Amino acid sequence: MKREGLRERIACWVFKVGLLDLLGSHEVWVSGGLNWGAEINGLEREVQGAQAALEEQAASKVEKAAGTGADVTHKALQKAMAFLPAHSEGAVNHSDTRTAGCLLTGIPGLEYLHVWLSIPFCTMYIAALVGNGILICVILSQPSLHEPMYIFLCMLASADVLLSTSTMPKTLANFWLGSSHISFDGCLTQMFFIHFLFVADSAVLLAMAFDRYVAICSPLRYTTILTRRVMGQIAAATLTRSFIIMFPSIFLLKRLHYCRINVIEHTFCEHMGIARLSCSDISINVWYGLAAALLSTGLDIILIAVSYVHILHAVFRLSSQEARSKALSTCGSHICVILLFYIPALFSVFAYRFGGKRIPRYVHILLANLYVVIPPMLNPVIYGVRTKQILEGAKQMFANITKEFN
């Protein structure tokens, strides 16, 4: 009798697990915007009918009922999986995120505007590519611009192009073609390069601040301090620091156990967005992300501020008004770029941390996307307009191109 009672409980348990799995998948599909309602309802009724029939026969045919119940549930799940797209399998098998990949929803709440939003994003991205491409070509083609200030500017333009390129093509493909799927390894790769390039951008701005500090506070030693060897060391240190800071995040994400829905409410993959897909403890990821931000961007902001305190102190000690104006003018473009880089980033971080649910989710996503295209788009304009040497170099480069074609 005990054995029959155990078998009866097993039979009921098998059906309940199958039914709960179906209901759970139904909620996932509905929340993901997939219209499987009619099919799922039919499957649920099929399972319920099979369960009722088995309960009536449980007293005499418990063992057979258990087998039949498992078979019905298995067939029902197979039927449900048959009409799912290949990239949605992770919605049913929550532990299959690594193989099924992730789904990027775009801008949640503004899905109906994706096509229209793609127009300004695409325009800004193309402008960033063209502007930074021209700036890099001008600096590399004109020997008169082979100075530390312009070499750092060339490094900044290169990082800006790579940063916008690591996000915008996938975002535009999502907006235009609905290409929301990305493999798990692809998501990790995108996340690494976004954060790597952000840290590198910040380091280049710090190097540019150091360049202005030496040029204004120690002008006679400028050429002896910022030699080609020192420039190479600064570039190597920038890449090495960015790599050391961001590479461990890949292993911190790979160590997690993923058993939740694989949908990321964003247009691109970022560290905490991936970590929140896990059902493991992500406190280490949270603290590591905070420490990485403080030791990279936070430290850079402090050092840039200290350098400009010394610069301003040296400038206002100059006796000539013309000399003060010239010194401040050389720093004006750099200050504009610094503000353009850090203010949106800090606003986005603080709005996310302290705004909570008062600020809609789509506002955070829009800010993050604007942040990776607006500074790269405007930096060449700022330096092109405010720096006479770059304007003259651009005119000379286009004049040489015109002569070659004529």
Side-chain angles (χ1 to χ4, degrees), residues 152-161 201 204-205 208 337 379 383:
F152 286 136
L153 180 57
C154 186
M155 292 169 57
L156 180 67
S158 301
D160 283 343
V161 168
D201 252 338
V204 172
L205 290 176
M208 295 173 74
V337 171
N379 287 348
Y383 274 99

Side-chain angles (χ1 to χ4, degrees), residues 145-155 208 211-212 222-223 226-227 231:
L145 298 179
H146 293 176
E147 298 179 3
M149 173 182 174
Y150 303 110
I151 297 300
F152 286 136
L153 180 57
C154 186
M155 292 169 57
M208 295 173 74
D211 168 78
R212 292 300 86 202
Y222 182 78
T223 55
L226 289 174
T227 61
M231 294 285 293

Side-chain angles (χ1 to χ4, degrees), residues 77-392:
L77 289 174
Q78 282 186 330
K79 187 177 180 181
M81 290 293 292
F83 60 83
L84 267 176
H87 65 267
S88 298
E89 291 183 4
V92 174
N93 188 359
H94 300 286
S95 62
D96 202 32
T97 300
R98 293 177 186 272
T99 55
C102 303
L103 299 177
L104 298 170
T105 63
I107 303 177
L110 298 180
E111 290 85 358
Y112 62 98
L113 293 177
H114 277 178
V115 175
W116 295 105
L117 289 172
S118 67
I119 297 174
F121 280 125
C122 183
T123 303
M124 289 186 287
Y125 176 56
I126 294 174
L129 292 180
V130 173
N132 286 284
I134 293 174
L135 184 60
I136 293 170
C137 291
V138 169
I139 293 173
L140 294 179
S141 65
Q142 302 301 310
S144 62
L145 298 179
H146 293 176
E147 298 179 3
M149 173 182 174
Y150 303 110
I151 297 300
F152 286 136
L153 180 57
C154 186
M155 292 169 57
L156 180 67
S158 301
D160 283 343
V161 168
L162 293 174
L163 178 62
S164 58
T165 301
S166 65
T167 59
M168 275 298 108
K170 180 61 180 176
T171 299
L172 294 175
N174 193 350
F175 287 172
W176 288 336
L177 307 174
S179 178
S180 60
H181 180 255
I182 184 171
S183 68
F184 185 74
D185 289 335
C187 198
L188 291 181
T189 302
Q190 186 187 50
M191 178 275 302
F192 171 77
F193 278 105
I194 290 172
H195 294 307
F196 172 87
L197 292 166
F198 179 84
V199 175
D201 252 338
S202 181
V204 172
L205 290 176
L206 175 60
M208 295 173 74
F210 175 70
D211 168 78
R212 292 300 86 202
Y213 168 77
V214 175
I216 293 174
C217 297
S218 301
L220 299 179
R221 301 175 57 196
Y222 182 78
T223 55
T224 58
I225 293 176
L226 289 174
T227 61
R228 288 184 178 273
R229 180 180 179 182
V230 172
M231 294 285 293
Q233 291 174 345
I234 291 175
T238 296
L239 297 177
T240 302
R241 188 190 75 154
S242 301
F243 182 82
I244 291 174
I245 289 175
M246 294 314 308
F247 191 66
S249 63
I250 296 177
F251 296 99
L252 289 176
L253 290 171
K254 277 185 169 291
R255 72 178 179 85
L256 298 175
H257 177 64
Y258 295 91
C259 56
R260 293 180 181 174
I261 188 170
N262 56 349
V263 175
I264 300 176
E265 290 187 341
H266 213 301
T267 56
F268 54 81
C269 298
E270 47 92 22
H271 179 243
M272 290 311 300
I274 302 174
R276 289 193 181 96
L277 297 180
S278 170
C279 58
S280 305
D281 182 14
I282 62 172
S283 57
I284 295 178
N285 297 74
V286 173
W287 286 109
Y288 181 81
L290 180 61
L294 292 176
L295 293 176
S296 58
T297 307
L299 183 61
D300 291 344
I301 292 174
I302 294 173
L303 293 176
I304 290 172
V306 170
S307 68
Y308 268 97
V309 167
H310 287 284
I311 289 172
L312 293 176
H313 180 69
V315 167
F316 288 113
R317 287 173 59 188
L318 298 174
S319 57
S320 172
Q321 177 66 32
E322 182 179 354
R324 286 199 296 267
S325 299
K326 185 177 180 180
L328 291 174
S329 177
T330 60
C331 299
S333 299
H334 185 234
I335 292 174
C336 291
V337 171
I338 289 173
L339 295 177
L340 191 62
F341 181 82
Y342 285 116
I343 288 179
L346 294 175
F347 178 80
S348 180
V349 169
F350 285 113
Y352 183 78
R353 295 290 180 183
F354 303 107
K357 297 182 179 179
R358 291 175 294 179
I359 300 178
R361 176 69 176 169
Y362 67 83
V363 174
H364 298 293
I365 309 301
L366 279 174
L367 285 174
N369 282 273
L370 292 174
Y371 172 73
V372 298
V373 288
I374 289 183
M377 177 187 67
L378 294 181
N379 287 348
V381 177
I382 293 172
Y383 274 99
V385 171
R386 295 182 59 89
T387 309
K388 181 179 178 181
Q389 292 86 342
I390 292 179
L391 279 176
E392 294 298 328

